[in-house]
Amino acid sequence: MAGSQWELPPELCCRPMAFVALTGLDVVYNAVHRAIWDAFCANRRADRVPISFKVLPGDHEYPKCRTKRTSYEWYIPKGILKTGWMNKHLNLVPALVVLFYELDWDDPQWKEKQSECATKVEIVRTSLQGRNTKVAVVLIQKKTPLPPGEDLVASERAAALCNACDLSGKSLFVLPHTDHLVGYIIRLENAFYEHAQTYYYTEIRRVKSHKEFLNKTTHQLLFVRHQFKIAFFSELKQDTQNALKYYRTAYSLVHELRAHETNMLEIKTMAGFINYKICRLCFQHNTPLDAIAQFRKHIDLCKKKIGSAELAFEHTAWMSKQFQSFGELFDEAIKLGLTAIQTQNPGFYYQQAACYCQDRKLLAQQLCQAGVSCPTPDPLDTPTGGLDFYGQRPWRQGHQSIDPPDPEKEKMGILALQIKEGDVPHSELIIALLSNAVAQFKKYKCPRMKSHLMVQMGEEYYHAKDYTKALKLLDYVMCDYRTERWWGLLTSILTTALRCAYLMANVKDYITYCMELLGRASVLKEEQKSRIEKNLLKVLMNELPDAEPECDSRCTSAAAALWSDRMALSGSNEFSIEVQDYVPFIQCKARFLSPSFHVDQPIQLQVFLKADCPHPVRFNKLAVTLSNQEYNQWCVVESSDQDSMCLSPGATKYYNFSFVAKTEDVGKKIEMTGIELMLGSDAARCVFLSWRGAGGDAASTHEALQASRSSRRRGRGATARPEQNWDSLTIQHSTMIISRVPKISVQLSHEPPALNNEMYRIKLTVQSQEEGVARDVRLTAGLKPGQDANLSQTTHVTLSSSKVCDDTDPALLPDIPLGDLNPGDKVEQCVHVRCVSTGPRVFLFHVAYSIDTSVEGRQINCKCHKDETVTIETVVPFEVSVKFVSTKFEPLDRVAVDIPFLLMTDLLSSSPWPLLLTSSSLQLVSMMTSTPQPQSQLEQVVLQAGECASECFSLRCPPVANSNNTVATGQYLISWRRQASSPDSPLVQTTVTLPHVVLETVPLYVHADLPSFGRVRESLPVRYHIENRTALVQEVEMAVEPSDAFMFSGLKQVRLRILPGSEQQMLYNYYPLMAGYQTLPQLNISLPRCPATNTHTLRRFLPQRIFVKPQGRQLDDASIAAA
């Protein structure tokens, strides 16, 4: 802040540290001394003790100590705190003076150097006469000392040196200049710090001892002074808790002083100093709430202590500095780790400082007289060039009475202060404070506060006549206010911006702001808008506009000269203004009449214009630019009839444009890229208002939303005309060019669902309904693209009906030529589809052709197409189940080698259509049939939906060479087609892989020959055949179990030997006793040489039951006659 009067003194703002003076060091010419000094002052980390070092000559003159006062009885203090006191104890009066002297314990000239050292110590003491400053001696030695007690010479000489110099043993130090210099220096620092602590403790006690001599009648100032000094010494002692306590006491005492106009400034100054110290220590102790509470208390106590009314600007300057200083303290604490929030951050204090600075500026303008010369001699000059006490007037220093000693001098002093205040650059101060506040609000994400303060900064730049920066800031924030629809604020900002543009003679900005102030977002009165519109028309006619109101007369004369220069320039009479992001006085909306147009239709679009200004406005040209530049020539209207190019206030006018699209743009989107409206004329000055896209501005989106909501609340009524409801007009900025509507019919004929692997026939019929010839008709048929990739590999399409599709046939047949179609003609085409897998499929039939047509007198060749899609489900025609059974029709899980068994197949139809089974066959791998060429049992069988067809084959498995007991059977082939299909249509062959069988080898094969039935009490011969299937002679033990249903004759139990490969037969005569299905006597067979083969394994080849008929009766003649 300009003016040192309000700046806080640097000694108040710094961190107080103990002051230690170093003497006897030649840091310029002595390298050892320089190294010692660098170790003291360079790279001081935070963990080192807080000491301020200075190198001083040995005979340095320290400030003289005043004679100690023994009584305060007749003493009247002249002020609270002397201006040089803090600096004196920070930088002039040391707590400790350290004398460095090069002396080793074994120095040959020890006596002489001891005497010289004592002399130097005496010189230092003499210069500190009357001070309590401590003195210490450091001996710089070349050798590393021995541990204490081991070097007797060193101990003796150290004692002698202390006696000679009148030092205590704690004030003599040794500094070896070795590699560990920094470590020795740190140890020295700690010792120095202890001496300094002792000094400041002594000073505190000395100041406290004065209290008993004071009285509260005449020594009120001394109470404040002593408490401040004790607190300051406590800070130097690094006792911040006690320092804070004494500062709080001093603050309470300063507000107990009797305040009047002559001492008001001094009281506020000291209150500000002490408050600064308290707040700083609170932040340092990490108690920010205490700091904020103290500052608020400070402001509440001081904000009404204005002082002299003629110097009221001083109070606002002081208040501004208080807020600024606290903001800086707050910001500094945040950088050291304190966390701030949106509602409590330094930005608020910088903002308040700026507000008081603005008040200071207003008061200065009211109180300071312009053109008055400073009185001589200058009352603000002092003999010493500065004040003795903080906060006093230069012309009456030390005066503490209520009335000024010299009224005339007081008057001259006030006048000098007013003149000095008149030279202060207030706007610069305000801008700096606002800039700090903006940075803080930006950091803590407070966008509205940031915008608000940026507006104030712009206005200050305007007052400071820096119009370029003012416009830059105001333009930045206007976007936010437009978006949030703060129209009153936007109008105020635009008014300031218009003044800046006028005073700069910036034609383009001036026109832009005029247009927005004339628009619907402006809250200006009609007469103000009329004035602005007249000025705008003058600028468009290349004439000088009238000056803006509230502009300084001196500035307006300079601006008029600038405008005259602008009018004389001929090369700068054409401007283009992007108004999309503003709210201009001419509204524009455009739309295509449809989201899409067929290529044989003219494309139509409308442009709506509405003026919001108080008077009619004329324009000379309206042009729409499109994404395809070739259409732009059809979307221009220029001034021919003056009435058609005039916009009346509040009325909506619309213009229609149409053009014919090109056939190559079919499938493309046409967009409006911009709309341009020309105001003015080429002869004077022309301005092109440009809208991006299809028009609209910063406010139209929200207005359209409001209009749609209100229309929903009102309900859907009759469609309003555009002039009546502008906000409900919707913008349609693009349209799609689509192909001409085809006038053909495409019919599909087929019988779903499709059966797996069949040649599914789809008949396509295309009939022309065109008035002309449809040329080059082409068909694309097949699987619609974009489906599962697996479907394209399992779907095959062909036009041929004579052969079955294979994997080489595609899933989609493109561009099948169908020739030309005359009006009313039709053409048919059959497409055959083979689906290898089941599931739904979408098939596409795309018929394309070209035809000549006329659009608005222009002949164009249109390509038309029609798509038909159909979803066809593919199902399996039948389900085949296979099982292996024995010759007794019992299920087999294992098959015996070289023993007949049966293969049974069942076909269950799952097709909704009848199926004709033409043939079936077996392709065996390792099996053999009992018949050489078995005839198909399903030949020419027709299966209806849900019916089942079965077939049976007798098979036998020969011995296999390898040891694998699982062998493949083969395949079952079925040839079929739909019964309704033509006889010459290709047959579909379905292949079913038969399951593998598990083989087993039996050593003995037993089978029986017996009649198909027996009769009660009639002999039933049964012959058992026993074959040895091994290479060994087998012993066979046979036994027949008795049965209740049969008597039998034959060997009931027998033991046989059967040679390898031989057969033995056993004959039994069974005599049935009961009719019905009877269980035959069980034959038990055991093989001693093959214990793994049991009776049950061999018995499975034998019949278990037989049907026995009842006994027949002989018919005689009598019974016949009776019947």
Side-chain angles (χ1 to χ4, degrees):
M1 181 176 288
S4 59
Q5 180 182 2
W6 308 117
E7 287 289 346
L8 294 177
E11 53 268 23
L12 179 78
C13 301
C14 70
R15 178 191 178 188
M17 291 190 293
F19 176 36
V20 175
L22 308 181
T23 65
L25 289 178
D26 184 2
V27 298
V28 178
Y29 300 106
N30 191 317
V32 174
H33 292 190
R34 181 67 192 182
I36 293 171
W37 170 243
D38 289 342
F40 272 113
C41 64
N43 300 322
R44 292 192 64 84
R45 301 190 306 271
D47 58 346
R48 291 174 69 169
V49 290
I51 298 179
S52 172
F53 292 105
K54 274 189 181 180
V55 175
L56 299 176
D59 56 352
H60 177 72
E61 288 292 332
Y62 298 97
K64 299 296 181 182
C65 182
R66 291 186 295 108
T67 306
K68 303 300 180 184
R69 195 178 295 276
T70 57
S71 172
Y72 286 89
E73 187 175 354
W74 301 103
Y75 176 69
I76 303 297
K78 296 181 178 180
I80 300 176
L81 184 66
K82 283 198 171 184
T83 53
W85 186 86
M86 287 186 288
N87 181 60
K88 180 175 71 173
H89 288 278
L90 285 172
N91 301 308
L92 301 179
V93 177
L96 173 68
V97 177
V98 182
L99 172 64
F100 285 83
Y101 191 73
E102 294 188 23
L103 180 59
D104 286 293
W105 298 125
D106 57 354
D107 192 289
Q109 298 179 344
W110 169 260
K111 289 292 184 181
E112 293 82 355
K113 289 193 175 183
Q114 175 182 317
S115 177
E116 183 183 356
C117 180
T119 304
K120 290 188 175 185
V121 170
E122 188 59 31
I123 293 172
V124 170
R125 282 205 177 99
T126 304
S127 61
L128 291 169
Q129 192 66 39
R131 299 284 180 189
N132 294 321
T133 302
K134 306 294 182 182
V135 178
V137 174
V138 177
L139 299 181
I140 304 173
Q141 297 184 346
K142 298 175 182 177
K143 299 177 182 179
T144 304
L146 296 173
E150 294 185 11
D151 192 345
L152 299 179
V153 175
S155 300
E156 292 175 2
R157 292 192 169 183
L161 184 61
C162 288
N163 289 331
C165 298
D166 193 14
L167 293 174
S168 68
K170 294 183 178 180
S171 298
L172 178 63
F173 305 95
V174 174
L175 177 61
H177 185 259
T178 61
D179 294 337
H180 302 90
L181 180 63
V182 175
Y184 287 115
I185 293 294
I186 292 176
R187 291 173 64 184
L188 276 179
E189 281 182 358
N190 294 331
F192 295 166
Y193 184 65
E194 291 179 9
H195 283 290
Q197 295 275 78
T198 304
Y199 167 76
Y200 292 121
Y201 175 72
T202 305
E203 290 297 297
I204 291 172
R205 292 191 62 183
R206 181 181 61 81
V207 177
K208 285 183 176 179
S209 67
H210 296 168
K211 184 177 181 181
E212 59 185 87
F213 303 111
L214 306 182
N215 63 76
K216 292 190 176 182
T217 306
T218 57
H219 300 147
Q220 279 186 314
L221 302 182
L222 294 181
F223 280 102
V224 179
R225 180 192 299 176
H226 290 170
Q227 291 298 315
F228 184 89
K229 286 184 177 182
I230 294 170
F232 195 79
F233 282 133
S234 297
E235 275 196 283
L236 287 167
K237 190 173 172 285
Q238 305 306 313
D239 184 4
T240 55
Q241 292 292 346
N242 275 325
L244 181 59
K245 181 182 74 172
Y246 291 119
Y247 278 132
R248 289 188 187 277
T249 306
Y251 189 81
S252 300
L253 290 171
V254 81
H255 282 292
E256 292 176 7
L257 297 176
R258 291 188 295 273
H260 41 81
E261 283 193 10
T262 55
N263 71 346
M264 187 72 73
L265 182 60
E266 185 175 10
I267 291 175
K268 288 195 300 185
T269 301
M270 283 308 301
F273 286 2
I274 301 171
N275 171 74
Y276 180 87
K277 282 291 190 180
I278 294 173
C279 294
R280 185 185 183 92
L281 289 174
C282 286
F283 280 124
Q284 187 176 325
H285 294 159
N286 200 23
T287 54
L289 295 180
D290 291 348
I292 294 170
Q294 163 62 29
F295 182 74
R296 289 176 176 170
K297 171 186 173 184
H298 173 61
I299 294 301
D300 290 340
L301 289 173
C302 297
K303 63 184 178 182
K304 294 183 179 179
K305 295 183 178 180
I306 299 173
S308 172
E310 295 170 304
L311 298 175
F313 53 82
E314 284 190 336
H315 178 70
T316 53
W318 181 83
M319 290 288 289
S320 174
K321 185 60 186 177
Q322 299 307 299
F323 279 97
Q324 180 188 359
S325 301
F326 188 79
E328 290 169 351
L329 281 177
F330 201 170
D331 193 25
E332 181 183 349
I334 291 168
K335 291 176 182 177
L336 294 175
L338 180 68
T339 302
I341 56 176
Q342 267 191 343
T343 55
Q344 189 64 261
N345 65 73
F348 291 102
Y349 299 96
Y350 287 125
Q351 179 198 6
Q352 199 62 37
C355 291
Y356 275 109
C357 201
Q358 289 169 339
D359 294 342
R360 175 187 181 183
K361 175 184 171 184
L362 295 175
L363 289 170
Q365 290 173 351
Q366 296 171 8
L367 299 173
C368 301
Q369 303 174 15
V372 179
S373 59
C374 184
T376 53
D378 189 353
L380 304 182
D381 290 339
T382 58
T384 59
L387 297 174
D388 293 336
F389 290 90
Y390 286 115
Q392 294 191 351
R393 300 297 184 187
W395 61 86
R396 49 173 169 81
Q397 294 192 67
H399 183 77
Q400 291 295 326
S401 62
I402 296 177
D403 297 323
D406 188 346
E408 185 62 28
K409 188 178 285 189
E410 188 75 17
K411 184 178 179 182
M412 290 297 104
I414 291 173
L415 179 61
L417 289 173
Q418 290 175 345
I419 295 172
K420 183 179 178 181
E421 183 69 17
D423 297 332
V424 173
H426 297 100
S427 293
E428 292 181 13
L429 306 180
I430 296 169
I431 290 168
L433 291 169
L434 289 173
S435 179
N436 289 340
V438 167
Q440 293 293 331
F441 286 122
K442 182 178 180 181
K443 177 180 177 181
Y444 293 101
K445 296 179 176 58
C446 308
R448 287 186 175 174
M449 287 298 297
K450 184 185 78 170
S451 299
H452 170 57
L453 297 181
M454 288 179 74
V455 171
Q456 294 185 15
M457 285 178 67
E459 290 174 348
E460 284 303 324
Y461 275 122
Y462 166 72
H463 293 308
K465 299 181 174 53
D466 192 345
Y467 305 120
T468 304
K469 290 182 179 178
L471 282 183
K472 185 177 180 181
L473 283 168
L474 296 177
D475 276 337
Y476 181 85
V477 296
M478 276 192 273
C479 299
D480 297 333
Y481 289 120
R482 287 191 197 96
T483 305
E484 298 188 11
R485 303 175 59 79
W486 295 97
W487 301 135
L489 298 175
L490 179 63
T491 303
S492 175
I493 298 169
L494 283 169
T495 304
T496 305
L498 183 64
R499 291 197 203 104
C500 293
Y502 171 77
L503 295 173
M504 292 170 63
N506 189 325
V507 180
K508 183 176 180 180
D509 286 345
Y510 185 82
I511 294 173
T512 304
Y513 300 138
C514 282
M515 288 191 301
E516 195 158 9
L517 282 170
L518 291 172
R520 63 193 186 283
S522 171
V523 296
L524 294 178
K525 296 179 180 178
E526 286 299 312
E527 56 268 20
Q528 293 173 301
K529 288 188 176 182
S530 297
R531 179 187 61 78
I532 292 174
E533 186 175 1
K534 289 176 183 177
N535 274 345
L536 177 60
L537 293 177
K538 285 184 178 181
V539 173
L540 293 177
M541 291 186 292
N542 208 15
E543 297 177 3
L544 265 67
D546 296 337
E548 290 299 312
E550 299 182 16
C551 286
D552 192 340
S553 57
R554 291 173 296 179
C555 298
T556 53
S557 58
L562 287 174
W563 277 101
S564 299
D565 295 340
R566 295 285 189 275
M567 301 302 142
L569 294 175
S570 58
S572 60
N573 288 339
E574 187 174 302
F575 298 98
S576 179
I577 301 175
E578 289 272 354
V579 296
Q580 191 86 25
D581 299 325
Y582 305 118
V583 188
F585 74 111
I586 295 179
Q587 298 185 64
C588 175
K589 291 184 181 181
R591 66 180 181 184
F592 287 100
L593 294 188
S594 174
S596 62
F597 288 91
H598 295 285
V599 70
D600 60 338
Q601 296 176 333
I603 297 175
Q604 298 179 332
L605 62 91
Q606 289 180 325
V607 178
F608 297 86
L609 298 174
K610 180 183 177 184
D612 297 318
C613 51
H615 303 294
V617 61
R618 298 183 183 276
F619 63 96
N620 290 328
K621 182 181 178 182
L622 175 65
V624 181
T625 55
L626 302 170
S627 54
N628 189 333
Q629 301 292 330
E630 298 180 10
Y631 300 136
N632 289 350
Q633 57 182 323
W634 310 105
C635 302
V636 179
V637 58
E638 297 194 33
S639 174
S640 58
D641 181 2
Q642 289 295 317
D643 291 336
S644 64
M645 308 296 280
C646 180
L647 298 177
S648 300
T652 302
K653 206 160 199 176
Y654 61 94
Y655 297 86
N656 294 318
F657 301 97
S658 68
F659 57 90
V660 179
K662 297 185 176 183
T663 55
E664 54 265 28
D665 284 342
V666 173
K668 296 180 181 178
K669 183 183 287 186
I670 295 180
E671 296 181 344
M672 296 187 206
T673 57
I675 303 172
E676 199 170 69
L677 183 76
M678 190 182 89
L679 299 177
S681 63
D682 296 330
R685 177 177 280 116
C686 56
V687 176
F688 294 94
L689 306 186
S690 300
W691 287 266
R692 296 188 301 274
D697 52 44
S700 57
T701 304
H702 185 268
E703 291 168 348
L705 180 63
Q706 293 293 100
S708 66
R709 288 175 177 170
S710 61
S711 66
R712 285 199 296 268
R713 284 196 295 267
R714 291 195 303 267
R716 298 187 178 275
T719 303
R721 293 193 305 167
E723 303 92 281
Q724 295 174 339
N725 195 354
W726 171 270
D727 292 337
S728 64
L729 284 174
T730 57
I731 291 176
Q732 178 69 41
H733 76 284
S734 65
T735 189
M736 180 69 75
I737 307 300
I738 57 178
S739 60
R740 178 178 173 272
V741 177
K743 296 181 180 178
I744 59 171
S745 65
V746 178
Q747 295 180 345
L748 300 176
S749 176
H750 60 110
E751 296 179 343
L755 302 179
N756 198 16
N757 281 319
E758 77 161 330
M759 295 293 289
Y760 186 70
R761 179 174 176 270
I762 303 175
K763 181 180 178 182
L764 178 81
T765 304
V766 181
Q767 183 172 9
S768 173
Q769 298 167 355
E770 296 281 2
E771 297 177 357
V773 179
R775 303 185 184 279
D776 192 20
V777 182
R778 291 182 176 271
L779 169 66
T780 297
L783 192 69
K784 185 177 180 181
Q787 301 182 72
D788 189 355
N790 294 328
L791 292 180
S792 61
Q793 298 175 3
T794 58
T795 307
H796 309 285
V797 182
T798 183
L799 299 179
S800 174
S801 61
S802 60
K803 67 181 184 67
V804 178
C805 294
D806 55 21
D807 292 343
T808 61
D809 291 304
L812 183 69
L813 290 175
D815 295 337
I816 304 168
L818 300 181
D820 296 342
L821 276 180
N822 291 319
D825 287 358
K826 67 169 63 175
V827 64
E828 295 180 350
Q829 178 67 54
C830 290
V831 178
H832 295 82
V833 179
R834 177 170 175 256
C835 302
V836 179
S837 63
T838 59
R841 289 171 172 80
V842 180
F843 291 92
L844 169 68
F845 296 89
H846 172 88
V847 180
Y849 64 95
S850 62
I851 190 167
D852 295 329
T853 186
S854 175
V855 182
E856 292 190 344
R858 291 180 57 192
Q859 289 292 327
I860 60 172
N861 182 266
C862 295
K863 296 187 181 297
C864 305
H865 67 87
K866 187 168 185 179
D867 292 344
E868 288 289 337
T869 58
V870 61
T871 301
I872 299 177
E873 184 79 25
T874 303
V875 298
V876 292
F878 44 75
E879 296 178 358
V880 179
S881 60
V882 178
K883 60 183 176 179
F884 296 104
V885 297
S886 67
T887 53
K888 297 190 296 180
F889 293 96
E890 294 175 348
L892 293 178
D893 55 352
R894 293 172 179 269
V895 173
V897 175
D898 209 17
I899 296 177
F901 64 95
L902 301 179
L903 168 67
M904 301 206 56
T905 61
D906 295 323
L907 276 74
L908 176 63
S909 174
S910 56
S911 166
W913 309 103
L915 299 179
L916 175 63
L917 306 178
T918 58
S919 66
S920 64
S921 62
L922 285 177
Q923 284 186 353
L924 299 175
V925 177
S926 57
M927 302 290 173
M928 55 187 298
T929 60
S930 300
T931 56
Q933 291 182 347
Q935 184 179 3
S936 172
Q937 301 164 24
L938 303 180
E939 189 171 346
Q940 301 302 317
V941 171
V942 175
L943 273 184
Q944 301 292 337
E947 291 184 345
C948 181
S950 300
E951 195 169 8
C952 180
F953 299 93
S954 177
L955 305 178
R956 186 162 52 86
C957 182
V960 293
N962 57 13
S963 60
N964 191 2
N965 62 348
T966 302
V967 296
T969 305
Q971 294 178 328
Y972 181 44
L973 307 180
I974 307 133
S975 296
W976 60 275
R977 61 178 172 85
R978 293 195 189 203
Q979 186 187 20
S981 61
S982 59
D984 57 347
S985 61
L987 295 174
V988 183
Q989 185 168 342
T990 300
T991 302
V992 179
T993 301
L994 298 175
H996 286 53
V997 294
V998 180
L999 298 181
E1000 67 174 350
T1001 303
V1002 291
L1004 208 68
Y1005 175 47
V1006 182
H1007 59 95
D1009 292 337
L1010 74 165
S1012 58
F1013 63 90
R1015 193 181 296 274
V1016 175
R1017 295 181 181 178
E1018 289 185 6
S1019 176
L1020 178 67
V1022 177
R1023 187 181 298 274
Y1024 291 100
H1025 300 267
I1026 306 160
E1027 298 179 14
N1028 182 1
R1029 295 289 180 90
T1030 66
L1032 302 173
V1033 176
Q1034 293 289 343
E1035 290 187 2
V1036 181
E1037 295 180 357
M1038 295 179 57
V1040 179
E1041 295 180 356
S1043 171
D1044 295 339
F1046 290 93
M1047 293 190 299
F1048 69 92
S1049 65
L1051 297 175
K1052 182 178 180 181
Q1053 185 172 359
V1054 65
R1055 186 182 183 94
L1056 304 173
R1057 278 190 178 181
I1058 304 176
L1059 297 177
S1062 299
E1063 175 183 302
Q1064 183 74 38
Q1065 297 182 3
M1066 297 294 295
L1067 179 63
Y1068 290 89
N1069 285 321
Y1070 290 158
Y1071 190 76
L1073 301 177
M1074 292 181 288
Y1077 277 105
Q1078 301 298 331
T1079 302
L1080 290 171
Q1082 298 295 322
L1083 186 66
N1084 291 331
I1085 303 174
S1086 62
L1087 302 176
R1089 294 187 178 182
C1090 295
T1093 304
N1094 54 25
T1095 302
H1096 177 73
T1097 304
L1098 299 175
R1099 194 186 290 170
R1100 62 181 175 170
F1101 302 119
L1102 299 176
Q1104 303 294 322
R1105 306 173 73 186
I1106 192 169
F1107 184 74
V1108 179
K1109 293 183 178 181
Q1111 186 176 18
R1113 297 173 60 186
Q1114 296 295 327
L1115 299 179
D1116 53 10
D1117 294 340
S1119 62
I1120 295 173

